[in-house]
Amino acid sequence: MIINYVHLQLQPGQEHVFLKASKLLIQASRAEAGNVSYDLLKSTEQDFRYHVVEIWRDAQTFETHIATEHLATFLQQAPRFLAAPMDMHAFDGQPLHLQ
């Protein structure tokens, strides 16, 4: 299972543009084969800070996602709303079943 965390710092006044682009990305990503979850979170501690938490079945489905048209479109739009480069951390994880 691949877990991908993306931290995004937005330009003030550009949240509406970001949220519109994110909605399309999230809908298309959730529909992809191998997507377990894809969530957007807004920071309660920092203004204009968002976090994406993605979980993919395996490395192959994550790599397929990276090559999608909807992600490419989002990345092309990103300079309009990002104040800094995206901070992305992907790693291989295993769910724990604690009793």
Side-chain angles (χ1 to χ4, degrees):
M1 169 177 306
I2 302 298
I3 299 102
N4 188 37
Y5 290 101
V6 183
H7 307 282
L8 305 118
Q9 186 66 43
L10 303 186
Q11 297 176 35
Q14 295 301 312
E15 279 184 292
H16 66 287
V17 177
F18 165 72
L19 292 172
K20 183 177 178 182
S22 294
K23 182 177 181 179
L24 297 173
L25 173 64
I26 291 167
Q27 289 173 337
S29 297
R30 286 179 175 166
E32 288 180 54
N35 178 256
V36 176
S37 66
Y38 201 107
D39 296 304
L40 176 64
L41 308 166
K42 184 175 182 174
S43 176
T44 59
E45 298 173 354
Q46 292 179 296
D47 291 339
F48 311 111
R49 184 81 166 168
Y50 285 81
H51 310 276
V52 176
V53 181
E54 310 169 36
I55 301 178
W56 298 90
R57 182 179 60 230
D58 52 36
Q60 182 178 351
T61 56
F62 178 62
E63 290 171 12
T64 299
H65 167 68
I66 296 298
T68 60
E69 184 66 32
H70 51 268
L71 181 57
T73 298
F74 179 84
L75 294 174
Q76 288 171 350
Q77 296 171 350
R80 294 177 52 205
F81 48 76
L82 289 181
M86 289 186 284
D87 181 19
M88 184 176 91
H89 304 276
F91 61 93
D92 195 0
Q94 190 66 28
L96 298 175
H97 303 285
L98 303 175
Q99 308 229 6

